[in-house]
Amino acid sequence: MARLTREQSQARTKAKLLASAREVVAREGYEGATVERIAEEAGFSKGAFYSNFNGKEDLFLYLLETHAGEDVTELEELLGPITDGRLLIDTLSNWSQERSTDPSWGMLALELFRHARRNATFGERHSNLFRAQWEGLGKILLRLFPEGKAPAGPTALGGIVFELTYGAASSFTKGPTVGELVKVALTSMYDAYGAKENVS
């Protein structure tokens, strides 16, 4: 088997650290997920950790950024072929419902932001963490409305869906499911501002 290049080896190390961080934070929470534990469970030293990330906060920002980008890619593939507006809403609602069964992503973001505020490290990277994710989905949702007739811009449209999807409270309370909430929100906007059966 051919030896890995330095870049390939570093990418593999980073991927293992991210996978370890995901598991450790699900078990211990953000505050309990130490650099030592993440590195140890990935099979590396602290030195390997710090050669890839500036610290725990940097790692978890990277983890959330990666997850957010993967969501948009998945939704572009899932929703791209759909031309019927109501089918698009149903498909997205089902996706949101499935994603909401794992509340750890939403809770990780909240814990990370709380930590950053408390330690005065909250900055541009934090405040823009989900902007591309929201805008990416929002651009897809603009297809539900005639040009210039959408009730909000793409960032707000996408933000509504992702906030409902990853909002931690809905995962623990009885009442409407996340999928139902997303469907109500999008159908109401579609009926009021779009109401066309096919989207281009």
Side-chain angles (χ1 to χ4, degrees), residues 109-182:
L110 289 174
E111 285 191 71
L112 177 64
F113 291 157
R114 189 180 301 118
H115 170 85
R117 291 284 191 193
R118 186 170 59 245
N119 293 278
T121 58
F122 193 93
E124 192 75 13
R125 191 175 173 195
H126 296 79
S127 62
N128 288 314
L129 180 58
F130 299 115
R131 180 170 295 276
Q133 182 198 42
W134 292 4
E135 190 171 289
L137 174 57
K139 287 179 179 177
I140 296 172
L141 294 177
L142 285 178
R143 293 163 38 201
L144 293 170
F145 311 102
E147 187 173 352
K149 300 296 185 182
T155 306
L157 290 173
I160 289 168
V161 173
F162 281 121
E163 284 295 283
L164 289 171
T165 301
Y166 290 117
S170 58
S171 301
F172 298 101
T173 57
K174 292 183 177 180
T177 67
V178 167
E180 289 168 342
L181 292 173
V182 169

Side-chain angles (χ1 to χ4, degrees), residues 4-181:
L4 297 176
T5 66
R6 184 178 179 186
E7 291 76 16
Q8 289 171 327
S9 178
Q10 187 169 24
R12 178 176 285 187
T13 299
K14 180 175 277 192
K16 286 183 178 180
L17 286 166
L18 288 167
S20 174
R22 177 80 176 85
E23 292 178 9
V24 173
V25 78
R27 204 171 56 237
E28 310 286 347
Y30 179 82
E31 296 296 338
T34 64
V35 168
E36 291 83 355
R37 178 61 61 84
I38 292 167
E40 180 185 342
E41 294 199 13
F44 299 111
S45 66
K46 283 175 63 177
F49 180 98
Y50 284 110
S51 70
N52 285 277
F53 301 100
N54 294 329
K56 185 170 78 169
E57 193 168 339
D58 179 43
L59 178 143
F60 283 111
L61 279 166
Y62 188 91
L63 188 64
L64 286 166
E65 288 163 348
T66 302
H67 177 72
E70 289 170 351
D71 273 354
V72 174
T73 299
E74 183 178 336
L75 286 168
E76 285 173 342
E77 294 175 358
L78 181 67
L79 303 175
I82 299 176
T83 59
D84 179 86
R86 298 191 191 280
L87 177 58
L88 187 150
I89 291 171
D90 285 344
T91 303
L92 179 54
S93 300
N94 291 335
W95 180 91
S96 293
Q97 178 60 36
E98 183 180 333
R99 282 305 172 94
S100 72
T101 59
D102 177 8
S104 61
W105 289 109
M107 290 191 293
L108 173 58
L110 289 174
E111 285 191 71
L112 177 64
F113 291 157
R114 189 180 301 118
H115 170 85
R117 291 284 191 193
R118 186 170 59 245
N119 293 278
T121 58
F122 193 93
E124 192 75 13
R125 191 175 173 195
H126 296 79
S127 62
N128 288 314
L129 180 58
F130 299 115
R131 180 170 295 276
Q133 182 198 42
W134 292 4
E135 190 171 289
L137 174 57
K139 287 179 179 177
I140 296 172
L141 294 177
L142 285 178
R143 293 163 38 201
L144 293 170
F145 311 102
E147 187 173 352
K149 300 296 185 182
T155 306
L157 290 173
I160 289 168
V161 173
F162 281 121
E163 284 295 283
L164 289 171
T165 301
Y166 290 117
S170 58
S171 301
F172 298 101
T173 57
K174 292 183 177 180
T177 67
V178 167
E180 289 168 342
L181 292 173

